[in-house]
Amino acid sequence: MRKVLIIGAGGVANVVVHKCCQNPEVFEEICIASRTKSKCDAMKAVLDGGKTKITTAQIDADDTEALIELINAYKPDMVLNVALPYQDLTIMDACLATGVHYLDTANYEPLDIPKFEYKWQWAYREKFEKAGLTAILGSGFDPGVTGVFSAYAMKHYFDEIHTIDILDANAGDHGYPFATNFNPEINIREITAKGRYWEQGEWIETEPLEIKRVYNFPQIGDKDMYLLYHEELESLAQNIKGLKKIRFFMTFSEKYITHLNVLENVGMTSIKPIMYEGMEIQPLQFLKAVLPDPASLGPRTKGKTNIGCIFTGTKDGQPKTYYVYNVCDHEACYTEVGSQAISYTTGVPAMIGAKLLLEGKWKKPGVYNVEEMDPDPFMEELNKQGLPWVEDFNPALVD
Ligand code: NDP
């Protein structure tokens, strides 16, 4: 009997739960546990009655002892963490204490400083190895599928990869003047941070949104995209041997950037707590409370996402380029699982990573980023589980 404890009940969790229920031969039992139990119960109400047995629980995932108690009571084979990045370490600690495997979609981040670094989670390598447990980090789309694409390119098409450009385009329109497609706090922290890319063994820092390019995305068309730091750059720079340069670009409309600038200029994106009527509040968390809930965007969002990687390098001494990407339709996602494509493109790979772990295909003691695992079974699953990919061996490159 394979059991999975899913932590978090937001947009991504909704997709994970739907996708687990579509694969009941692997996910025989799931428990959805989160801070607000009513959200878990609402998901159960939609999907109950199928082959996967669903239970729910209330949990504060910042509390390791409470997590240990829940895990000991439910006895899952693994924990699938789709809460927020702040909970990664407490959940990993609880997994170690109870002897269960672990998977997440975003790297640990301290609440008070926006730092996207793997060092805290990589420090658990020896502990997981000694315990004979697997921890898979970053099994969403980016990070996640982008790492799998990189491992696949390396395994099948290149002797050496010299450059990787990760391009993340969202041409979805939700009709609001301003809203973020996933957790606004995480999203805005990411975008307002300085940009950074890696070249010849060094990190090169840019001002936030300083580097802009226009790219003609397949099935979407021309979009403005901006260079951002993104967490998979750190692991891929280490794990793709011989790499000389890696960058990450994300598209934003002019309207989005204008709103963001105003919010930033008036101090609303700050994570430094302020006193308001005798209460300490964080402006960014307050902003999150007034913005539309990303989960509510699903029924309103039209258009497509296109996320992929462009590689250059050599094969048999000859120069080679390769672009692999997925195009996902917001409305089709909503029809299938009741979430828009951003949650869908994260939740599906999270379920696939968990499925491969449970099937033993991605099980090895230690802490691993997805590109350290065999990409082939994952690529196969992407095609089967709703995120088919397209290859182009002669793509336009980003200058
Ligand atoms: P949401 O904000 O929609 O959901 C987060 C959920 O976690 C909420 O249900 C929230 O509870 C719950 N939660 C927060 N704190 C705690 C806590 N202390 N204890 C228990 N539960 C808690 O986020 P998303 O679903 O959009 O994102 C989920 C994760 O996926 C995030 O880590 C995000 O960074 C990551 N992500 C990864 C991507 C990728 O491609 N790799 C892309 C997009 C997202 P409550 O309902 O009470 O607020």
Side-chain angles (χ1 to χ4, degrees), residues 229-357:
Y229 178 70
H230 223 239
E231 61 201 54
E232 66 264 50
L233 300 184
E234 185 186 9
S235 68
L236 288 169
Q238 289 194 17
N239 291 328
I240 302 297
K241 303 292 170 219
L243 191 66
K244 296 185 168 78
K245 184 174 172 183
I246 179 162
R247 301 181 295 184
F248 181 96
F249 291 90
M250 191 178 270
T251 64
F252 299 105
S253 67
E254 222 178 293
K255 195 163 82 177
Y256 187 94
I257 303 280
T258 308
H259 276 82
L260 194 67
N261 282 340
V262 173
L263 291 168
E264 208 176 357
N265 289 341
V266 299
M268 281 307 300
T269 60
S270 169
I271 58 169
K272 229 163 106 192
I274 55 154
M275 291 306 290
Y276 177 73
E277 295 195 341
M279 218 175 94
E280 197 180 83
I281 61 163
Q282 200 200 63
L284 181 54
Q285 278 179 359
F286 178 75
L287 176 63
K288 179 188 171 198
V290 297
L291 286 175
D293 177 359
S296 71
L297 302 179
R300 316 169 46 106
T301 308
K302 296 179 172 30
K304 289 175 179 167
T305 61
N306 177 330
I307 319 175
C309 303
I310 301 177
F311 304 92
T312 69
T314 55
K315 179 76 180 171
D316 303 324
Q318 297 300 313
K320 189 169 178 95
T321 58
Y322 173 56
Y323 183 20
V324 54
Y325 58 87
N326 161 263
V327 175
C328 197
D329 185 276
H330 285 287
E331 285 175 286
C333 295
Y334 190 76
T335 305
E336 184 192 330
V337 300
S339 285
Q340 33 81 355
I342 307 297
S343 301
Y344 192 89
T345 53
T346 309
V348 172
M351 180 281 292
I352 294 175
K355 180 171 188 280
L356 296 181
L357 202 168

Side-chain angles (χ1 to χ4, degrees), residues 7-13 34-36 39 59-62 82-85 87 105-106 140-143 182-183 186 288 342 346:
I7 301 184
V12 175
S34 192
R35 189 166 51 191
T36 314
K39 292 192 187 174
I59 188 70
D60 174 3
D62 291 319
V82 277
L84 295 178
Q87 283 86 47
T105 63
F141 207 106
D142 42 349
F182 64 98
N183 187 294
I186 308 290
K288 179 188 171 198
I342 307 297
T346 309

